Amino acid sequence: MSEIVNRVAQSKLVTFDLEDLYPDGKRVVLDIKDWLYEEIILREKEFREKVDAHDWSQYQDGYVALACSSDAIIPGWAFMLVTSRLSPFAKKVIVGTLEQLESSIYQSIIDELDVSELQDKPVIIKGCSNKPVPQNAYLMAMAKIQTVAKSVRYGEACSSVPLFKRK
C-alpha cells in the first residue's frame, strides 16, 4: 500500500490569511442624531453639553464609526469635536459605516505590513473567513503582495484561482 503524501504541505506555497490580521476590540457606530435639536438641527451650545456629558470611557480600546442617521446637515467641526473626546480612548475613529471602519482598520494594518518574507514565493490569499474581513482588504492585500510575490492565487490550496504571476 502506498503512503499518502500531502503535496500542499510540502510545497513552497505560502498562505496569507487576512483573518489573522483582524485586531481585537469592539466596533461601534456612534450616532449623534440624539444630540441634535429635534434630531435635525445642531445647536452648538446644546451639542457641546451633550458631548461633555457623554461617558467616553466606554469606547476604551475600541473602534468607532461616527454617523448621523437623520437628514441633518452636520458641520465638520461637530465630528472633530466628538473625535477629540474619543481619541484618548478609541484606537480608531472615522465618519462612516461599520464596513468603512473595517476597511480603514485594514488599510492601516496592510500599509504597515512587512511582506518581505513573501519575496519571490507563490502566495495564496485565503478566501474564507469567520471574521468580518471587508472586501477592500483583499484588494489592498493583493496590491501589496503582488509587489514581492512570485505569484498570487485566491482561495484554498485545493481549489484556488490564479490572479498574478510575475513574468
Side-chain angles (χ1 to χ4, degrees), residues 4 6-7 12 28 30 32-33 35 42 51 57 61 70 75 85 100 102 106 110 114-115 140:
I4 297 174
N6 185 339
R7 293 186 315 182
K12 294 181 181 180
V28 178
L30 176 56
I32 66 166
K33 78 171 171 122
W35 297 354
L42 190 147
V51 168
S57 66
D61 297 324
S70 72
R85 301 308 193 276
Q100 290 168 325
E102 289 296 346
Y106 268 95
I110 291 170
D114 178 12
V115 292
M140 294 176 234

Side-chain angles (χ1 to χ4, degrees), residues 27-31 59 63-68 96-99 101:
R27 274 76 164 158
V28 178
V29 173
L30 176 56
D31 189 349
Y59 305 101
Y63 300 89
V64 181
L66 300 176
C68 182
T97 65
L98 282 178
E99 186 172 345
L101 177 62

Side-chain angles (χ1 to χ4, degrees), residues 80-149:
M80 293 170 69
L81 178 66
V82 173
T83 300
S84 74
R85 301 308 193 276
L86 279 167
S87 290
F89 301 101
K91 291 180 182 177
K92 183 177 252 335
V93 180
I94 68 152
V95 174
T97 65
L98 282 178
E99 186 172 345
Q100 290 168 325
L101 177 62
E102 289 296 346
S103 285
S104 180
I105 293 167
Y106 268 95
Q107 181 71 60
S108 298
I109 291 168
I110 291 170
D111 283 349
E112 298 296 317
L113 192 63
D114 178 12
V115 292
S116 62
E117 66 184 32
L118 304 176
Q119 185 72 46
D120 299 323
K121 293 183 181 172
V123 178
I124 185 164
I125 299 175
K126 188 176 175 196
C128 297
S129 177
N130 294 318
K131 295 180 180 171
V133 177
Q135 187 66 40
N136 281 337
Y138 291 94
L139 306 181
M140 294 176 234
M142 179 66 199
K144 181 115 182 193
I145 292 169
Q146 84 176 45
T147 64
V148 296

